[in-house]
Amino acid sequence: MVTLDRILDVLESLGIKELIVADTAIDFLGEKQKESFKYSFIADVRSAGFFALGKTQTLQQGVALLVESKYISHLYTSMVEIWFQQMPVVVIVLDTNDDFDYSLLHRCVRQAKDYRDSEDYKELTIADNGPTLLIIHAANSEQVVDISSVKKLLPKDAQIYKPTDKYGAISKYVGFLYGTKNEVYCLIPLSWVKFDLNIFNNRYLDKRFKIILHGEMADIPCELEQWLTSNQIELIDGSIKEGMDEFVNNNRPSVIIIK
């Protein structure tokens, strides 16, 4: 199997010195790889794409961009611009079995190589007039939350909405609520909230708005707590015994944090 180590070794031999690591892709990068490249970590995948473009233009040489497959669609706009500017950015996709149709990206790449079922990585070349797309296998880095254990804490007929993508996750939940009369709870990691903060400033949220954040109450930024309070959204500590009952029966939009 073609590994990230092997791909990065080849890219280094081809003169790639800068590595931009987008979001969750940092979990796949070892200390040795961090030492081999001058790397930059960008938490937002969309920003990482344009950062890679800017780096290439500034350095006047190719850079590599590492991204997990579940967020590859968020690179589309920047890849189109990279293609238009004809910049040699190498996009390495860590495919975690997300069933993404990579042919959708072929219109904005100069060459694409899928190494999920190939070992012929030593013949790797880099396009000098646009993006090069490299796809390799990777294990899923996401921490899985047991939905069944959460359901036991909710009313019997409660439905759980679990977004697969952190960008706009809460906004998508709000849209889902508008399209149903059912009781629906949204389950997301605490770390995802910062990517969709503006949705809390919404006059149309009602008592059906119920967000379950899995994380630690101590990890919630004070700014987030203040933002929720200022928008009349109840923040509840799920670590206390009465927390879930208060959350379920609350007549205001509510957010609870559970481990």
Side-chain angles (χ1 to χ4, degrees):
M1 180 184 296
V2 177
T3 63
L4 179 59
D5 273 335
R6 292 177 178 178
I7 290 294
L8 291 178
D9 284 346
V10 174
L11 292 180
E12 187 178 13
S13 71
L14 293 173
I16 297 292
K17 299 177 181 178
E18 295 268 350
L19 177 64
I20 291 90
V21 184
D23 203 340
T24 52
I26 192 67
D27 297 332
F28 297 87
L29 203 63
E31 291 303 318
K32 178 186 175 182
Q33 298 157 340
K34 291 177 182 178
E35 293 173 358
S36 299
F37 294 87
K38 182 178 180 181
Y39 86 96
S40 305
F41 171 68
I42 308 296
D44 186 294
V45 172
R46 298 162 295 188
S47 299
F50 287 102
F51 184 83
L53 170 61
K55 270 284 187 182
T56 308
Q57 291 173 320
T58 302
L59 298 172
Q60 289 298 299
Q61 64 182 37
V63 303
L65 171 60
L66 188 64
V67 63
E68 195 174 347
S69 56
K70 61 184 176 182
Y71 296 128
I72 185 64
S73 61
H74 295 283
L75 279 182
Y76 186 78
T77 305
S78 58
M79 287 181 67
V80 169
E81 187 63 25
I82 292 168
W83 176 87
F84 182 77
Q85 298 287 344
Q86 299 188 20
M87 291 289 107
V89 175
V90 182
V91 179
I92 308 168
V93 182
L94 300 162
D95 186 86
T96 51
N97 299 318
D98 291 294
D99 298 322
F100 183 80
D101 183 2
Y102 292 101
S103 66
L104 297 173
L105 299 175
H106 288 179
R107 68 188 71 183
C108 61
V109 298
R110 292 299 179 186
Q111 61 180 13
K113 298 188 177 181
D114 189 342
Y115 292 111
R116 289 174 295 178
D117 299 308
S118 171
E119 293 287 338
D120 194 23
Y121 67 96
K122 294 182 180 179
E123 301 301 319
L124 170 61
T125 58
I126 300 173
D128 59 4
N129 61 344
T132 296
L133 182 68
L134 308 178
I135 308 165
I136 62 174
H137 269 305
N140 199 323
S141 67
E142 183 180 12
Q143 293 183 339
V144 179
V145 178
D146 184 5
I147 292 183
S148 62
S149 63
V150 176
K151 272 196 168 184
K152 292 177 182 177
L153 304 174
L154 299 174
K156 183 177 180 181
D157 297 326
Q159 181 179 350
I160 293 182
Y161 178 85
K162 190 173 183 292
T164 57
D165 190 331
K166 66 183 169 188
Y167 296 105
I170 303 174
S171 295
K172 293 170 187 173
Y173 164 63
V174 171
F176 187 87
L177 275 182
Y178 289 161
T180 182
K181 295 181 179 179
N182 296 333
E183 188 175 9
V184 183
Y185 297 80
C186 180
L187 174 63
I188 60 172
L190 172 58
S191 60
W192 285 19
V193 177
K194 61 186 177 184
F195 294 97
D196 204 13
L197 284 173
N198 285 339
I199 191 61
F200 293 117
N201 185 15
N202 187 330
R203 72 179 68 181
Y204 300 107
L205 299 183
D206 58 27
K207 66 179 183 179
R208 292 191 306 141
F209 181 84
K210 304 284 187 182
I211 302 282
I212 304 171
L213 304 178
H214 56 88
E216 296 281 352
M217 190 70 180
D219 292 337
I220 186 169
C222 63
E223 296 86 353
L224 175 57
E225 186 172 358
Q226 292 169 0
W227 181 241
L228 293 174
T229 302
S230 66
N231 285 289
Q232 288 75 54
I233 296 172
E234 194 85 20
L235 178 62
I236 300 170
D237 184 353
S239 65
I240 61 176
K241 185 177 180 181
E242 299 82 9
M244 186 56 72
D245 287 339
E246 180 185 352
F247 172 69
V248 169
N249 298 315
N250 204 310
N251 287 322
R252 293 173 56 189
S254 304
V255 173
I256 190 171
I257 300 179
I258 62 173
K259 292 184 180 180

